[in-house]
Amino acid sequence: MAGYRNKGLSPTRRTALTLMGAGALAAGRMTLARAATGGDEVLTEAKVLRDPDVPVAGNPDGNISIIEWSDYNCPYCRKLEPELRQVIQDDGKVRLVLKDWPILGPVSVTAARIALAAKYQDKYHKAHDAMMGVSSRLTESRISELLASVGVDMDRLKGDLTAHAKDIDAILKRNNEQAEAFGFNGTPSFIVGKYRVPGVLSMNEFEQVIADARKAKMN
């Protein structure tokens, strides 16, 4: 049901929902996971929910957050995108945190780096939507065509890729460390409020887990 680095690891929906219920993450527990190298905490609430370098969609002041780890070459991420955005639009009070997690090969890494570079000209969301909106596997030439078609300044993009390379790579490193600390095996994967959702849900299931997350937040 998702884009997995290793075949055969895709969870069933029943498994995803079980993990979602059993994997409630109290904010205080987020500090327990540390990077594999060194002692840096990677699952603090600030780093997961409020990383200032990670783009946000939906309502930035929403009362519940969905954090999504996705790959531009993941067909399940693309299929889910319009449905998730519709749920968020209908709700009106959901903050969507977009964690680029390129795990499906070198072109995925290129796409993620380019999307984050587009942020420096306020075009991240245009780049993101353009690449998520295609049905075929991306190539570097196709990425360039897509971004140019939505008004991304490609000359500036190349300069920003170079000038901000360390910052972009640091974002991707943080996203990867967090995904691994949560135990995610593939894309798309989510945290909804305090719930861990490793897999694809229907619109109705997303609405339900958002409602459950709000109830959990009140307790």
Side-chain angles (χ1 to χ4, degrees), residues 32-113:
L32 297 180
R34 299 176 183 273
T37 57
D40 292 341
E41 295 170 341
V42 298
L43 293 188
T44 65
E45 185 173 4
K47 289 180 179 179
V48 174
L49 298 181
R50 305 287 174 183
D51 187 332
D53 297 321
V54 171
V56 172
N59 182 348
D61 299 315
N63 58 18
I64 206 74
S65 292
I66 295 178
I67 303 97
E68 177 184 14
W69 282 262
S70 64
D71 185 306
Y72 290 109
N73 260 327
C74 167
Y76 301 99
C77 299
R78 293 172 181 167
K79 181 179 179 180
L80 180 67
E81 179 86 359
E83 296 180 359
L84 177 59
R85 293 302 182 101
Q86 188 63 54
V87 169
I88 290 171
Q89 179 179 322
D90 292 347
D91 183 283
K93 296 181 181 179
V94 174
R95 178 176 173 269
L96 177 62
V97 183
L98 298 167
K99 303 267 189 179
D100 289 291
W101 189 28
I103 58 174
L104 298 178
V107 175
S108 292
V109 175
T110 297
R113 295 187 77 253

Side-chain angles (χ1 to χ4, degrees), residues 50 57 88 90 117 119 123 138 143-144 159 183 199 213:
R50 305 287 174 183
I88 290 171
D90 292 347
K119 179 184 66 171
K123 296 289 178 65
L138 293 171
I143 291 169
S144 297

